[in-house]
Amino acid sequence: MASPLNFDGRVVLVTGAGGGLGRTYALAFAERGASVVVNDLGGDVKGIGKGSLAADKVVEEIRRKGGKAVANYDSVEAGEKIVKTALDAFGRIDVVVNNAGILRDRSFGRISDEDWDMIQTVHLRGSFMVTRAAWNHMKKQNFGRIIMTSSASGIYGNFGQANYSSAKLGLLGLSNTLAVEGERNNIHCNTVAPTAGSRMTQNFLPEGFSEALKPDYVAPLVLWLCHESCEENGSLFEVGAGWIGKLRWERTLGAIVRQKNQPMTPEAVRANWEKICDFDNATKPQRIQDSVGAVIEALSKIDSSNGGISANNLSHATSGATSGPVEAIGHKFPPFSCSYTEMDTIMYALGVGASVKEPKDLKFIYEGNSDFSCLPTFGVTLAQKSIMGGELAAIPGLPVNLAKVLHGEHYLELYKPLPKAGNLKCETAVADVLDKGSGLVILIDVYSYSGEELICYNQFSIFVTGSGGFGGKRTSDKDKVAVAIPNRPPDAVLSDITSLNQAALYRLSGDWNPLHIDSDFARLAGFDRPILHGLCTFGFSARHVLQQYADNDVLRFKAIKVRFAKPVYPGQTLRTEMWKEGNRIHFQTKVQETGDTVISNAYVDLVPTSDSLAKTPPEGGELQSNLVFEEIGCRLQNIGREMVKKVNAVFEWHITKGGKIAAKWAFFSGRLKARGNLLLSQKLQMILKDYAKL
């Protein structure tokens, strides 16, 4: 047989323990080793009067059997005093059983203010006051078990008990919320709705039923729910006569009773009433996100319906475009401008792990540094603002359920280093929509300009779960594809421990999603605590590559592509494994403590260094132009670093002979054909003018 459940070392507080269910709970806990606080005001069933006899008798009974117990005679409104009794006597509080209750039954029209207030005070407010007094002690010790006592009257309603039933169902709501809030601290809260013989039920139960409905047939459930090995949390149970049943909510599939941009009418509700109330294939929601998700899904379906004119983009109503995902391709988001200062770039650098502990990081976090620079990946913070204001839900033809959106992959390319401070204009559009079966992928391109000059380009790959299977294409030539890492041990590895405050710090760069700061919100999303921003991990990884292979030279950074694989929790260690293949650095990032890969199939493309100019040997002998470029190479040995700062661009020259390319030189494009910004080439005059007649 399994080992018996004991409560050695545990301290249990039972309210209303002077008789009935409370007394039975107190005796049972004490018999199994718990130290028990027996609370009872000593009043009658209507809450009138007080006395110490009831509690004292139970304490005496426990002690006579060799158990440990103390009495408390306070009203449950004095929760702090009751819990203090436990702390003074036993030094801790592990279990709270909110059992105290009274009755003041009246038909609804005859309930007085006092009848109403007394019931709410004892049942609902009393349970709140006692539990709140114990709450922080339970959090500090990372353990707690709480029982709320509801009633069939609260669950189903009962004549003459409007005051009682409302308080009892209120306790269920309180219990459900405490179950959510306490879960991370191993505090479990459950609700029981007992049917048992007591002084509160003796006038209602038929003669002879009290023995069959003894409190002894309820107590075992309460003890199990309060044991440290029980993982049940946030549940409701009916119990009595040796029978136990668990309750849950059930919801019909429901019906959408309005069309896009059309009024909702009571006639439409009437027409759909049978469907609204049809419990065939009903769902069983368990948490608040199940409710919110259903509403968001309904909004998505309404927005993607064919009826009416879309308020999001009126032009689509008359263009004759095909509805559905194809209609979304080319959709442009409202353009916007974004200003930032040196403080913003410093804040971002700190958010992705730059530190004074690493002297070479000072150029990213100290504006007075002679080489003060903006980290290249700061470009993502500007682009993300285009999709963080609800614009995804406004894409025509796409049923985007915001509750099911994941940032799957990201690509960033810089055309010139980001200014240390500036004002960039961003233009955003849907590049393509892909059907991945289990979901769809939206490719969103964001172009950022300083004036008329393109500074950087971002591509967000947004995965929407559950929205695939519409018959669309699976690949796109517009997709910046992730690349598998080489099949060999990494060439280099760098690690950084993230701070417990890392997400709190990174969010100051503009991603205010409460998923990364609010524990309750994180649990609603299915995480036991807030997670780190994926783009924060992205920034850590890019910084590692830049440090390892470019000596933190931002001029060497060209592009980065990543695939987000798993979440990271603040405080974990990020380990970036890197492979160098030419100017492309492949990498993947893992959580060192778990071994989980959190960024996969990633790479950074670097600009070649000036001392390794790429030259393609010509066919058919040497070219006279070789003398020019070899001389440039010599000159760059002396002034290359200064030139890089002034030119701030990349050139490639193709030398042709007989109409065919005979040679290539990085940075230059011969006398023959120069493409791009020709005026930019004038900045090279210091290395060309001395030998112009060569």
Side-chain angles (χ1 to χ4, degrees):
M1 292 179 61
S3 59
L5 301 176
N6 68 69
F7 290 84
D8 293 341
R10 297 298 185 192
V11 177
V12 178
L13 163 59
V14 183
T15 66
L21 280 167
R23 170 184 171 275
T24 304
Y25 298 154
L27 293 172
F29 277 114
E31 184 180 339
R32 291 174 178 265
S35 300
V36 181
V37 176
V38 178
N39 161 262
D40 202 287
L41 181 64
D44 66 14
V45 71
K46 292 186 177 182
I48 299 173
K50 61 180 181 179
S52 61
L53 182 60
D56 287 341
K57 287 179 65 176
V58 176
V59 170
E60 183 183 349
E61 190 174 356
I62 291 173
R63 290 176 175 175
R64 193 167 57 245
K65 295 179 180 179
K68 291 176 288 184
V70 294
N72 175 277
Y73 318 115
D74 292 301
S75 164
V76 286
E77 285 191 273
E80 292 286 348
K81 291 183 178 180
I82 299 173
V83 171
K84 186 176 185 298
T85 299
L87 299 176
D88 290 346
F90 304 117
R92 59 186 292 130
I93 179 75
D94 297 293
V95 176
V96 170
V97 180
N98 291 292
N99 172 75
I102 61 172
L103 282 178
R104 288 199 172 193
D105 291 354
R106 296 279 195 279
S107 63
F108 183 67
R110 297 175 59 217
I111 294 178
S112 67
D113 290 353
E114 183 183 8
D115 291 334
W116 179 271
D117 292 343
M118 279 293 290
I119 292 295
Q120 305 301 319
T121 295
V122 174
H123 290 273
L124 188 53
R125 179 175 170 80
S127 296
F128 159 70
M129 296 296 287
V130 173
T131 304
R132 186 179 66 174
W135 187 258
N136 285 334
H137 299 287
M138 291 178 171
K139 286 181 67 174
K140 288 177 182 177
Q141 67 198 23
N142 204 43
F143 177 84
R145 295 292 185 266
I146 300 165
I147 297 294
M148 298 293 177
T149 305
S150 185
S151 165
S153 298
I155 300 170
Y156 308 109
N158 191 33
F159 186 89
Q161 292 191 312
N163 51 1
Y164 181 76
S165 62
S166 60
K168 285 304 189 183
L169 196 58
L171 283 166
L172 176 61
L174 174 61
S175 177
N176 288 342
T177 295
L178 295 186
V180 172
E181 293 191 15
E183 187 172 20
R184 67 174 298 180
N185 295 108
N186 192 27
I187 302 173
H188 296 172
C189 189
N190 292 286
T191 304
V192 297
T195 300
S198 69
R199 65 177 184 167
M200 289 176 60
T201 61
Q202 63 186 0
N203 295 327
F204 306 100
L205 292 175
E207 188 176 350
F209 261 61
S210 293
E211 183 63 24
L213 297 176
K214 289 194 302 185
D216 305 69
Y217 301 145
V218 174
L221 169 63
V222 171
L223 266 69
W224 164 238
L225 291 174
C226 293
H227 196 265
E228 60 191 34
S229 65
C230 181
E231 295 298 324
E232 194 71 31
N233 191 26
S235 299
L236 169 63
F237 298 89
E238 287 184 287
V239 54
W243 169 87
I244 302 171
K246 183 175 179 178
L247 283 77
R248 65 185 179 190
W249 294 100
E250 191 174 47
R251 182 179 61 202
T252 70
L253 294 178
I256 295 175
V257 296
R258 74 173 179 92
Q259 290 185 333
K260 184 168 56 181
N261 300 316
Q262 299 297 317
M264 180 175 170
T265 67
E267 289 78 15
V269 176
R270 178 182 62 189
N272 287 275
W273 194 245
E274 185 176 344
K275 186 176 181 181
I276 291 170
C277 299
D278 183 4
F279 276 90
D280 288 345
N281 301 313
T283 62
K284 299 172 180 63
Q286 296 181 353
R287 295 206 170 190
I288 194 170
Q289 61 263 40
D290 296 330
S291 175
V292 176
V295 174
I296 293 175
E297 187 173 358
L299 286 172
S300 299
K301 290 179 179 178
I302 291 168
D303 192 61
S304 62
S305 63
N306 293 325
I309 297 173
S310 172
N312 301 325
N313 193 334
L314 293 176
S315 63
H316 286 279
T318 56
S319 65
T322 304
S323 63
V326 175
E327 183 185 0
I329 299 173
H331 170 71
K332 294 184 178 180
F333 293 48
F336 70 96
S337 294
C338 180
S339 297
Y340 64 95
T341 65
E342 291 180 347
M343 184 183 74
D344 295 316
T345 65
I346 291 172
M347 189 71 71
Y348 173 79
L350 292 170
V352 297
S355 170
V356 293
K357 292 187 295 184
E358 173 53 60
K360 291 184 178 180
D361 281 353
L362 206 60
K363 64 184 291 186
F364 302 124
I365 57 178
Y366 174 42
E367 72 286 355
N369 188 277
S370 60
D371 197 21
F372 179 61
S373 304
C374 177
L375 274 171
T377 48
F378 178 71
V380 302
T381 70
L382 308 175
Q384 72 183 359
K385 297 179 180 176
S386 63
I387 63 170
M388 292 188 66
E391 286 80 2
L392 287 176
I395 299 175
L398 281 183
V400 178
N401 181 345
L402 296 179
K404 298 183 178 180
V405 166
L406 301 172
H407 189 176
E409 299 181 2
H410 196 88
Y411 178 81
L412 166 68
E413 183 172 354
L414 264 57
Y415 297 93
K416 65 177 299 183
L418 289 164
K420 304 164 192 174
N423 186 307
L424 298 187
K425 179 182 67 176
C426 295
E427 297 179 355
T428 308
V430 177
D432 216 336
V433 180
L434 308 179
D435 185 353
K436 297 296 186 178
S438 61
L440 62 81
V441 172
I442 311 171
L443 301 179
I444 299 177
D445 289 344
V446 183
Y447 296 87
S448 301
Y449 298 86
S450 177
E452 298 300 318
E453 185 176 16
L454 179 61
I455 300 296
C456 66
Y457 158 70
N458 283 266
Q459 184 178 87
F460 294 82
S461 297
I462 306 298
F463 188 79
V464 185
T465 61
S467 298
F470 57 86
K473 58 187 179 181
R474 294 185 62 86
T475 60
S476 171
D477 56 3
K478 298 175 183 176
D479 184 14
K480 302 297 182 179
V481 180
V483 179
I485 60 173
N487 186 23
R488 67 173 191 269
D491 301 326
V493 176
L494 287 180
S495 298
D496 260 325
I497 301 174
T498 63
S499 163
L500 290 174
N501 293 316
Q502 203 71 56
L505 183 59
Y506 183 83
R507 70 191 298 267
L508 300 180
S509 292
D511 189 340
W512 302 101
N513 190 336
L515 173 67
H516 307 293
I517 191 72
D518 189 323
S519 298
D520 297 333
F521 196 93
R523 281 192 292 276
L524 288 176
F527 301 101
D528 60 2
R529 59 188 186 276
I531 62 173
L532 196 61
H533 306 69
L535 286 175
C536 180
T537 305
F538 170 92
F540 266 86
S541 304
R543 195 172 51 75
H544 286 165
V545 174
L546 200 66
Q547 177 182 333
Q548 178 69 30
Y549 288 107
D551 195 30
N552 275 355
D553 185 354
V554 298
L555 299 173
R556 296 280 320 278
F557 184 93
K558 181 180 181 183
I560 180 173
K561 170 70 180 187
V562 306
R563 175 178 294 164
F564 300 109
K566 283 190 175 182
V568 176
Y569 291 104
Q572 291 182 322
T573 303
L574 293 175
R575 169 188 169 94
T576 305
E577 300 174 346
M578 296 165 274
W579 293 261
K580 187 177 189 302
E581 293 196 341
N583 292 311
R584 172 163 289 184
I585 311 301
H586 298 269
F587 73 90
Q588 67 179 7
T589 305
K590 295 181 176 180
V591 170
Q592 187 163 296
E593 291 81 358
T594 65
D596 290 341
T597 299
V598 293
I599 285 181
S600 65
N601 294 2
Y603 64 82
V604 168
D605 283 337
L606 298 175
V607 174
T609 56
S610 59
D611 58 355
S612 58
L613 294 176
K615 173 186 173 183
T616 302
E619 296 181 6
E622 291 293 318
L623 299 171
Q624 289 185 339
S625 57
N626 287 359
L627 296 173
V628 175
F629 295 107
E630 288 171 358
E631 179 60 31
I632 290 172
C634 292
R635 300 277 288 175
L636 285 175
Q637 295 295 326
N638 299 320
I639 61 173
R641 180 169 291 275
E642 186 64 27
M643 279 298 302
V644 167
K645 293 180 180 178
K646 289 186 176 182
V647 177
N648 200 19
V650 178
F651 292 81
E652 182 175 284
W653 289 55
H654 291 188
I655 311 302
T656 63
K657 184 177 181 180
K660 297 181 179 180
I661 295 177
K664 296 180 182 179
W665 292 82
F667 307 117
F668 304 96
S669 194
R671 63 171 283 273
L672 313 162
K673 287 186 180 181
R675 299 190 182 109
N677 188 342
L678 301 185
L679 294 178
L680 196 60
S681 65
Q682 294 179 6
K683 294 184 179 181
L684 294 173
Q685 59 179 325
M686 73 166 61
I687 60 172
L688 293 176
K689 63 183 181 181
D690 291 345
Y691 294 90
K693 297 180 181 180
L694 182 64

